[in-house]
Amino acid sequence: MADGGWVAVQRKIQKSFVWANPFVLKLWLLCLFKASHDGNRFLFNGEEIQVDRGQFVTGRVALAKDYNVGARGEHQLSPTSINRWMNKFRELGMVDISATARYSVVTVINYDLYQSSGQLADTSRTSSGHLADTINNANNANNANKRDSQHPRKREYADGSPELIEATYLWEKIKSNNPEHRKPNLQPWANDIRKMHEIDKRPFDKIHRMIDW
């Protein structure tokens, strides 16, 4: 785990189950911190292991040791508890774990999707590069708004359109968590999906994976 750098955390983590438990939230953040940004080779228990972007190598004892550094006794977790929560992460599709008798390679699912979006560029980029991106994004948004204002008639998305398909998929995910939630008008949602695709240049498959996450 590198001492410097940063990771991106989505605000919607506040609606995730990890937010309700500070111990679990800390473990999830530790996974994000330990995941390799570029892929590398690590020495673990005397063995050199290759990991790809979004992966890290560990064991339940080693992960517990990293977790408990600097924590008081009541704030520490045992290797057994660490292992139980890591398996929960795997069941929920947050990580994949490939275990051997000596170590485990943990893969953070969708790491590349959330750690390399347009505004989460490489830290080596200059401030002028960030400014250029901001200006371009603003211009794209203004152009899209101008096109919409020139065509005030509301867009209608057919049932088979990718925009409405993804909007419906998002609604189904929400309904699975709250069956009593009243169904909204999905046309504005589909229009937001279109803007994500056209303005933010996100392919529909990435939007789909984002909804899954």
Side-chain angles (χ1 to χ4, degrees):
M1 180 169 55
D3 294 330
W6 51 268
V7 297
V9 178
Q10 298 281 318
R11 287 191 179 94
K12 62 184 176 183
I13 195 176
Q14 297 174 77
K15 299 180 181 179
S16 169
F17 86 98
V18 302
W19 189 257
N21 187 324
F23 291 93
V24 182
L25 176 61
K26 180 180 175 180
L27 179 59
W28 177 241
L29 292 176
L30 179 61
C31 290
L32 296 181
F33 295 159
K34 289 182 69 66
S36 175
H37 185 268
D38 298 313
N40 212 328
R41 299 188 71 85
F42 289 91
L43 192 64
F44 185 80
N45 288 343
E47 183 173 352
E48 193 176 71
I49 304 160
Q50 173 70 43
V51 297
D52 296 326
R53 176 175 166 82
Q55 293 182 326
F56 64 95
V57 59
T58 190
R60 66 174 187 168
V61 174
L63 192 57
K65 182 178 179 181
D66 288 340
Y67 181 97
N68 293 325
V69 168
R72 295 187 299 184
E74 66 270 25
H75 296 154
Q76 295 185 7
L77 286 182
S78 67
T80 300
S81 296
I82 292 284
N83 191 56
R84 183 175 69 251
W85 282 114
M86 289 299 294
N87 285 330
K88 183 66 174 179
F89 289 168
R90 178 168 58 180
E91 290 173 9
L92 294 174
M94 299 165 66
V95 301
D96 185 36
I97 303 175
S98 177
T100 71
R102 299 181 303 280
Y103 61 85
S104 294
V105 175
V106 179
T107 303
V108 177
I109 304 299
N110 288 333
Y111 179 89
D112 191 61
L113 178 62
Y114 293 102
Q115 300 302 323
S116 61
S117 61
Q119 66 194 67
L120 302 177
D122 190 279
T123 53
S124 64
R125 293 180 59 185
T126 64
S127 58
S128 61
H130 287 295
L131 178 60
D133 283 348
T134 302
I135 293 173
N136 288 336
N137 289 338
N139 287 338
N140 289 337
N142 288 335
N143 290 336
N145 290 334
K146 185 181 297 183
R147 289 195 300 270
D148 288 344
S149 65
Q150 292 171 349
H151 301 84
R153 183 174 60 85
K154 291 184 177 179
R155 293 173 181 257
E156 290 291 331
Y157 298 90
D159 290 342
S161 66
E163 294 86 357
L164 192 57
I165 288 174
E166 295 305 326
T168 302
Y169 186 64
L170 174 58
W171 159 241
E172 290 172 349
K173 289 291 186 181
I174 293 174
K175 188 176 180 181
S176 68
N177 289 325
N178 183 8
E180 297 181 358
H181 198 291
R182 190 170 58 183
K183 184 176 181 179
N185 179 3
L186 295 180
Q187 288 292 327
W189 290 22
N191 197 50
D192 287 337
I193 297 290
R194 173 188 65 82
K195 291 177 180 179
M196 293 172 65
H197 178 66
E198 294 182 357
I199 300 175
D200 297 335
K201 306 300 183 184
R202 298 186 185 277
F204 287 110
D205 63 324
K206 282 196 173 183
I207 295 174
H208 190 87
R209 293 200 301 272
M210 180 180 69
I211 294 172
D212 280 334
W213 188 86

